Amino acid sequence: FSTRKDDWRHYDWSKITTIVLFRDWDVELMCHAHSKNVRVVLAGIFPVANLTNASQRKSWIASMLQKAKDSYADGINVDVEEPIAKDTLERQLLVTLVNDTRNAFLSQNKFAQVTFDVAWSPECVDRRCYDAVGLAEVTDFLVVMSYDEQGQIFRPQAC
């Protein structure tokens, strides 16, 4: 999750296993987290429009891998916040992207962690019809965005 710069100083570190940084890399946070046996991973946001472009996927993975190496990150959390329809090539290619990301990260660090953010329900919330089972098979774990139950794309509907 994303935090303000110094919020981490107040965390109960006994309840945390991983921190995803959705802001600038924080070396002090990383070192403190590591002292508490907590992983710190990059946030990786990939545009759905580029899923069908193999060279874009490969370039993004290489870029994220280099960023992880340069910052000593423990892995990556892939976060796609865009609609993908069921039974589409993009749905399959998202799993391919995450699997290729995992393979690349593990080739450089056998302890790298790769995770993916999913909606609170697998039922195409906000038209995000991601293959949750396929994504679970190619990640260390899924991050369920349970804080996001209202959705982001559509206005709230009357009951």
Side-chain angles (χ1 to χ4, degrees):
F1 52 87
S2 184
T3 64
R4 288 176 286 183
K5 183 158 179 51
D6 291 325
D7 283 353
W8 60 269
R9 296 179 191 283
H10 306 288
Y11 291 170
D12 179 350
W13 291 93
S14 68
K15 295 181 170 44
I16 299 172
T17 61
T18 303
I19 293 177
V20 181
L21 275 180
F22 282 89
R23 58 178 176 81
D24 291 338
W25 196 252
D26 186 331
V27 174
E28 186 179 8
L29 165 61
M30 179 193 65
C31 290
H32 186 77
H34 285 169
S35 78
K36 303 293 185 181
N37 292 317
V38 172
R39 293 176 184 221
V40 183
V41 300
L42 300 172
I45 300 171
F46 188 85
V48 168
N50 293 349
L51 282 171
T52 58
N53 186 323
S55 65
Q56 287 286 331
R57 293 192 314 266
K58 185 176 179 178
S59 175
W60 180 82
I61 292 168
S63 166
M64 292 292 101
L65 188 56
Q66 188 60 53
K67 188 174 179 181
K69 287 167 132 179
D70 292 345
S71 61
Y72 301 96
D74 298 303
I76 187 169
N77 171 260
V78 181
D79 186 23
V80 175
E81 298 277 345
E82 298 177 65
I84 294 180
K86 259 188 177 177
D87 303 319
T88 61
L89 178 60
E90 287 81 5
R91 186 174 194 247
Q92 297 166 17
L93 289 173
L94 181 59
V95 175
T96 300
L97 170 74
V98 176
N99 189 52
D100 291 350
T101 301
R102 178 177 181 75
N103 290 337
F105 270 72
L106 290 175
S107 76
Q108 298 298 312
N109 174 359
K110 67 181 180 177
F111 302 108
Q113 182 182 82
V114 177
T115 59
F116 187 88
D117 294 344
V118 294
W120 55 272
S121 167
E123 301 302 321
C124 296
V125 170
D126 290 335
R127 298 184 303 202
R128 297 178 197 167
C129 303
Y130 306 157
D131 179 1
V133 173
L135 291 165
E137 290 172 349
V138 299
T139 58
D140 291 292
F141 59 87
L142 299 176
V143 178
V144 179
M145 297 186 290
S146 58
Y147 54 84
D148 225 359
E149 289 186 23
Q150 182 170 329
Q152 298 175 6
I153 294 176
F154 303 107
R155 290 182 307 211
Q157 300 294 316
C159 295

